[in-house]
Amino acid sequence: MRILLFALIFGQVHLEKIDDSIHYYLTFTNDASKLKVTPLTDEKISESDDLLKITTRNNERFVCKLPQLESTKVDHTEYKGKNPEQLLQILHNDNICSYLIDVYWTYEVCHGKYVSQYHEDRALNSAERQEFYLGSWHFDYTSRKSSLEMNNPPKKRIENEDYPYYSESYTKGTTCDITGKPRTTDVIYICVENIQHKILSVTEVSSCHYEVLIMTELLCEHPAYRLTKQKDHEITCWNLDAKDEESAKPRALQRLDEFHSSTFKREYAIIDDGTKDTADEEVEEPETIDEMEYEEIQKNEGPEVQFKLGGKKRFVGKDTLANNPSVVQHTVNSLLTGEDCLTGGTGFWQYEFCFGKHVVQYHEDAKGHRISVLLGVFDEAVHNLWVQEQPMLRGPRKIDNHITQITHLYSKGDFCEEAGGHRSVEVRLRCLHSEYSALAVSLMLSEPKTCEYVLTVDSERFCEPLQYADDNGLIKLERVEPTDEETEEDTTIRSVHQEF
């Protein structure tokens, strides 16, 4: 995408040195000294492999300096620890299974045993279950990888990053109606820090042959399987005609920036009914306060507002350590109020989720500059209409008389040119048991369709709050009124502050 943008702005240029697997960012300037080339003559530009002279379609003249790329290869020959097969053996020995709940199917990978997909229709009185085995584990000594192969793993492009991986083949699944042969699956493991063997995606790469991507921290012990951190490389472009830094960008890029910033306002702006004439209305200057006044205001403010789960508890909660009242209270007042945001992501893009507010994807370059893409904001009215279109699929998911998942739609994100519409995110909050910590929260973002995302947020923390969700998956919060004792104590504290 970044290289495509470069080409669109400048037209046809020679891009032999530019590879989209390497991270670049563009800086435009009207100061020739930032190219750090002296003397900057036409002869030197034409002879240099790192300097590129470009004229845009608007006849804007640029000289761009391409960065020198450094090798990112890491030597793994000195590693004497366990190989990936041995590192993953704990998953086989401890009978550990991983799950992915999709819109219709639930996928189950019991490591070292089998891979299956099933659907349980609990809307009917009888729980009907459709199930297919996608493959069983059969260790084949003849195809066992050598130590050399394990230390030089193949790589797979995932979310614009090349991940080293280790794969296992599962065969002899349920017979396929299309091919007449048993289903097969390749289970691919990649290293992701602080993630416990979690399914990232399931893809049917060909008829009845599947590929399951699993993230696990177990592989990260082996240096050959760690994701190589990419350095951001700066391409500096000097605008020969710009009078200042603000006008150094190509006009086409300036118009594109203006279009993106104004699209949301144009499409979702509140329309003035024209009843109020503000043409001659004076605009008041904002009132300013000094530091002492601010501290005084802080002292006289009341106690911090607290919330609790509102409405009626509709279902029985799952028995978990996270159901402790103090943990539930913290979950409500930190996560479900949107006060604390959750962050996740590996590689180039990171993402931020603030419950009930927004989902943002961002990247910070080497200079600390942040590029942000708004994936969606929460609008209760839009969400309710979305759920009501397909309530069985989008409403709360219930298993054994308790809610295990709610789904919220975050819409009205930044405009996506590839899809011709605004970005949106389907956020799935799931009550999921963690083997390590009842308080842990894990996030996973995928993009099943262009600019349509799915963010899965798993934690035992959600098990109790989910039981209060209504038919649209909304959790009502009620303000906790301070008791007389708390009010009296707060009044005393303020009085003491005033005396001193």
Side-chain angles (χ1 to χ4, degrees), residues 83 85-86 89 137 139-147 149-150 166-167:
N83 63 39
E85 181 184 303
Q86 294 167 332
Q89 192 62 40
W137 169 251
F139 189 80
D140 185 0
Y141 285 92
T142 61
S143 61
R144 188 174 188 178
K145 297 179 178 66
S146 66
S147 297
E149 289 176 309
M150 291 184 184
Y166 178 79
S167 65

Side-chain angles (χ1 to χ4, degrees), residues 4-74:
L4 177 61
L5 180 63
F6 187 85
L8 286 174
I9 294 170
F10 293 121
Q12 293 182 341
V13 296
H14 295 289
L15 299 174
E16 290 89 352
K17 294 193 67 176
I18 298 179
D19 182 350
D20 198 36
S21 65
I22 303 171
H23 300 159
Y24 295 92
Y25 64 98
L26 291 167
T27 300
F28 297 96
T29 181
N30 71 325
D31 185 358
S33 65
K34 291 186 178 180
L35 295 182
K36 298 179 180 178
V37 177
T38 53
L40 189 59
T41 62
D42 288 340
E43 182 180 358
K44 188 158 189 175
I45 293 172
S46 60
E47 292 176 353
S48 174
D49 292 333
D50 300 326
L51 294 174
L52 199 61
K53 199 170 184 178
I54 302 169
T55 301
T56 71
R57 294 174 183 175
N58 295 319
N59 293 320
E60 300 161 292
R61 298 175 301 158
F62 289 86
V63 175
C64 295
K65 184 180 180 182
L66 303 182
Q68 294 289 336
L69 303 184
E70 302 172 0
S71 174
T72 57
K73 291 185 178 180
V74 181

Side-chain angles (χ1 to χ4, degrees), residues 310-329:
K312 183 180 179 181
K313 185 176 179 180
R314 304 173 65 209
F315 296 92
V316 178
K318 192 173 182 180
D319 187 18
T320 167
L321 293 174
N323 283 356
N324 181 288
S326 61
V327 175
V328 174
Q329 182 184 8

Side-chain angles (χ1 to χ4, degrees), residues 166-205:
Y166 178 79
S167 65
E168 295 179 343
S169 296
Y170 287 66
T171 58
K172 301 180 181 179
T174 305
T175 301
C176 176
D177 295 336
I178 299 173
T179 64
K181 298 179 180 179
R183 288 171 166 83
T184 58
T185 300
D186 291 327
V187 177
I188 294 177
Y189 296 91
I190 61 173
C191 155
V192 179
E193 297 284 357
N194 303 316
I195 296 293
Q196 307 154 14
H197 39 271
K198 186 172 183 179
I199 300 176
L200 174 62
S201 65
V202 178
T203 307
E204 188 172 4
V205 292

Side-chain angles (χ1 to χ4, degrees), residues 402-431:
H402 64 262
I403 297 177
T404 59
Q405 174 182 304
I406 59 173
T407 305
H408 290 174
L409 178 68
Y410 286 64
S411 56
K412 306 178 185 178
D414 285 342
F415 189 79
C416 173
E417 294 181 1
E418 294 90 337
H422 288 271
R423 290 171 168 83
S424 63
V425 189
E426 188 179 311
V427 177
R428 300 173 182 174
L429 251 63
R430 303 195 304 184
C431 163

